[in-house]
Amino acid sequence: MERKEHWENVFSTKTEKEVSWYQQYPKTSADYITALGLPLEAKIIDIGGGDSYLMDALLDLGYTNLTLLDISANAIDRIKNRLGEKANKVTFIVSDILDFKPQEQYDFWHDRACFHFLTKPEDVDLYSKIVSQALADDGKLFIGTFSDNGPKKCSGLEITQYNRESLRFVFERDFKLTGCFTEDHLTPFDTIQNFLFCGFKRK
Ligand SMILES: C[S@@+](CC[C@H](N)C(=O)[O-])C[C@H]1O[C@@H](n2cnc3c(N)ncnc32)[C@H](O)[C@@H]1O
């Protein structure tokens, strides 16, 4: 099945709590963004955001310049319906990240469990180039993947597991690692997935 078809199918057949990555509140990401002290008008983009609650959380925190990119139009319809009027405050882009041609520069790039689906070296390389084009000179990057103690698949698809060094290596051409931590995510099925989160800033 093609990548897009897979995700359109997921978001048309499963409820939000029937997917392993569901979080009622994306505390790790929201806390990280708050701790960075980004101004409320900072341009923030969430890659493969799906229908996660990050946009809800950031709107509640007062952020005014939010973009969500996802390959699945169904996911974006779902979050738009949930947000109602507030959806007008978010820019939505339906695109495969590898086809994304950034039209503006962002201050913060967030990706939780989207980048790790790229398993071909040339796709990983293209992703890092797109990040570099899209981020402003003092832009920051925050990536969450399954760690090398985490699952080998996500949503039934092969993923690439990372550790601090392998993730640093992906972005090292233009970005400096500022820190990493691992975290156990409790899925709605009461299983544990070990994530690695790393932050980067431009060199
Ligand atoms: C495991 S879910 C994570 C969703 C969300 N980031 C979260 O933490 O709840 C992966 C998301 O990435 C999207 N996705 C997968 N591959 C993608 C790609 N190549 N380009 C853009 N989005 C993609 C899927 O549609 C889905 O919404």
Side-chain angles (χ1 to χ4, degrees):
M1 201 190 281
E2 289 294 315
R3 189 143 62 194
K4 179 167 172 70
E5 203 186 333
H6 173 87
W7 290 107
E8 294 297 15
N9 184 47
V10 166
F11 287 104
S12 64
T13 58
K14 292 185 189 284
T15 65
E16 61 178 16
K17 290 187 188 151
E18 287 175 334
V19 296
S20 62
W21 54 90
Y22 169 77
Q23 293 178 296
Q24 194 161 16
Y25 182 75
K27 186 173 183 333
T28 303
S29 301
D31 286 356
Y32 188 88
I33 291 169
T34 307
L36 277 181
L38 293 170
L40 293 177
E41 62 279 8
K43 287 187 183 175
I44 297 178
I45 185 163
D46 186 20
I47 304 302
D51 65 347
S52 92
Y53 283 77
L54 184 62
M55 289 296 132
D56 313 51
L58 295 179
L59 286 168
D60 287 348
L61 287 166
Y63 287 95
T64 56
N65 219 326
L66 302 172
T67 301
L68 185 156
L69 177 147
D70 202 279
I71 198 169
S72 165
N74 288 337
I76 286 182
D77 285 347
R78 266 162 63 152
I79 186 171
K80 278 185 175 170
N81 285 337
R82 186 179 75 227
L83 286 172
E85 291 247 307
K86 285 197 279 182
N88 298 327
K89 298 181 175 177
V90 178
T91 301
F92 294 97
I93 302 172
V94 179
S95 173
D96 188 315
I97 182 55
L98 298 180
D99 297 328
F100 181 42
K101 309 268 182 294
Q103 301 297 316
E104 54 189 315
Q105 294 224 298
Y106 298 91
D107 300 304
F108 185 72
W109 178 289
H110 176 273
D111 181 322
R112 174 180 182 263
C114 175
F115 166 71
H116 70 186
F117 288 105
L118 303 178
T119 53
K120 295 187 197 150
E122 62 270 27
D123 289 350
V124 169
D125 190 50
L126 179 56
Y127 182 103
S128 77
K129 288 184 173 139
I130 294 169
V131 176
S132 201
Q133 284 162 18
L135 270 181
D137 285 349
D138 58 352
K140 299 194 171 64
L141 167 64
F142 186 59
I143 302 259
T145 69
F146 285 167
S147 79
D148 47 15
N149 291 318
K152 293 191 165 37
K153 286 191 167 187
C154 183
S155 190
L157 302 176
E158 299 287 335
I159 57 97
T160 307
Q161 297 177 324
Y162 285 91
N163 58 40
R164 181 189 175 92
E165 273 314 298
S166 58
L167 200 57
R168 188 185 66 76
F169 181 72
V170 170
F171 297 104
E172 73 169 356
R173 188 175 41 219
D174 295 325
F175 294 95
K176 182 175 162 37
L177 184 68
T178 51
C180 293
F181 56 93
T182 56
E183 185 179 271
D184 280 337
H185 165 62
L186 179 65
T187 73
F189 329 119
D190 282 338
T191 57
I192 298 280
Q193 299 177 328
N194 193 250
F195 272 76
L196 171 75
F197 287 95
C198 292
F200 298 83
K201 64 177 184 183
R202 259 199 206 279
K203 280 185 173 168

